[in-house]
Amino acid sequence: MARLAMARSAGFRLLSSAVLLTVAAASITGCDDLVIGDRPPASPSVGATTEGGASATPSETPVPLPMLPERPAPGDGWTVFTDEQRLVSFELLEGWTVETIEDPGEGFDEGGLHFEVSNAEGQRLAQLHTRITPVSEECAPDAASPYVVLSSEPVDIPSTAEAEGSIAPRFVVRLAQGFRFFSSYGLTDVVGGADGAACVLKNTVQGPEHIGLYSFGDATELRALDPTQVGSRTESFATIAEAQKRFGQKGFDQIRRMIMSLQVAS
């Protein structure tokens, strides 16, 4: 009996040694499909699993932003400005300059584009802004000012506006009546106000997500001032006829062409 037990013990040690050698050999050769007994090899998993049991999905690849295609040179004394990201582009006269606005102030989300266009004499003609922070405000009927539309022309630019009062994008020149007629020009996709009166006239267009609310004109909005207020950034006139004369000049036709030439990646 002692011999038999010793023989069995020796045989078990030999078998164990053989298994250990096999496992070691598999580890050395990098084999992952070792089968012990009737257990099948593990199926390759589709996604990794964390220690808590939740599936770990690979990080999503960022979706590239839309970009404008190359734009042909307009010629005839005009050139083309396109930002580095190729999100906006417009024509301007040779000799006019486009400068980045380093500090646009409040009212804008991060990542927006901010440019100012000036003529050869250094006079500011227009500003372009994207990612404007929309602000809603109450406008009491007795606080609204009458306004006049001097010009309104359709423009082929993207708009995602769906709110009440939304319209297809247009280039507009408008006057708001305060103690003088205050003017403003730019792009918009919303009517000014009911019955020809408004507290504020918006020169903004609701663009696609990567652009947000954007503006191209002399100001993002227009308000009429009373005699106690100062600080209008736009021109003012004593009469409507005086304003009509100003915006009927050839020099303003060049500004109109520049703003209406805007292209926005969508």
Side-chain angles (χ1 to χ4, degrees):
M1 292 295 291
R3 290 196 194 96
L4 180 58
M6 291 174 63
R8 288 177 177 174
S9 176
F12 179 77
R13 286 196 299 271
L14 289 172
L15 178 60
S16 299
S17 299
V19 172
L20 290 173
L21 287 172
T22 304
V23 173
S27 299
I28 293 172
T29 58
C31 177
D32 294 325
D33 294 334
L34 174 66
V35 179
I36 299 178
D38 295 329
R39 187 179 66 190
S43 302
S45 59
V46 175
T49 303
T50 62
E51 290 183 355
S55 296
T57 56
S59 59
E60 296 182 359
T61 302
V63 178
L65 294 178
M67 290 194 303
L68 290 170
E70 289 288 343
R71 184 169 180 165
D76 193 27
W78 288 75
T79 185
V80 172
F81 169 81
T82 304
D83 75 293
E84 292 182 355
Q85 300 179 63
R86 303 196 65 80
L87 294 177
V88 297
S89 177
F90 57 87
E91 300 175 0
L92 71 161
L93 271 178
E94 294 178 355
W96 290 6
T97 59
V98 181
E99 295 184 355
T100 300
I101 302 173
E102 299 296 343
D103 182 13
E106 298 180 350
F108 305 98
D109 288 332
E110 283 189 40
L113 302 174
H114 307 283
F115 300 109
E116 182 169 278
V117 184
S118 302
N119 62 17
E121 289 73 39
Q123 178 186 5
R124 183 176 68 85
L125 304 177
Q127 290 187 346
L128 189 152
H129 299 280
T130 67
R131 295 192 175 277
I132 301 170
T133 305
V135 177
S136 59
E137 56 184 86
E138 296 295 328
C139 179
D142 58 350
S145 302
Y147 71 91
V148 178
V149 179
L150 294 185
S151 177
S152 178
E153 303 173 66
V155 183
D156 185 15
I157 51 176
S159 169
T160 60
E162 296 179 348
E164 183 179 356
S166 298
I167 57 175
R170 307 187 72 80
F171 171 79
V172 293
V173 181
R174 296 178 288 192
L175 304 176
Q177 185 176 357
F179 73 97
R180 287 172 63 86
F181 290 94
F182 294 88
S183 69
S184 187
Y185 53 83
L187 305 173
T188 190
D189 62 356
V190 61
V191 294
D195 302 323
C199 289
V200 57
L201 298 173
K202 300 285 188 179
N203 290 333
T204 56
V205 176
Q206 183 61 58
E209 185 176 356
H210 61 280
I211 292 292
L213 194 66
Y214 64 100
S215 172
F216 194 22
D218 62 346
T220 58
E221 61 181 35
L222 171 65
R223 299 174 185 269
L225 303 182
D226 62 45
T228 65
Q229 297 171 310
V230 295
S232 176
R233 296 181 57 195
T234 63
E235 294 182 79
S236 65
F237 306 89
T239 65
I240 294 177
E242 185 181 323
Q244 289 174 322
K245 182 178 180 180
R246 159 70 179 93
F247 293 111
Q249 294 174 350
K250 181 180 178 180
F252 186 71
D253 287 341
Q254 297 169 339
I255 298 174
R256 177 191 287 108
R257 171 177 169 173
M258 176 184 69
I259 294 176
M260 293 185 65
S261 73
L262 178 68
Q263 292 182 356
V264 178
S266 59

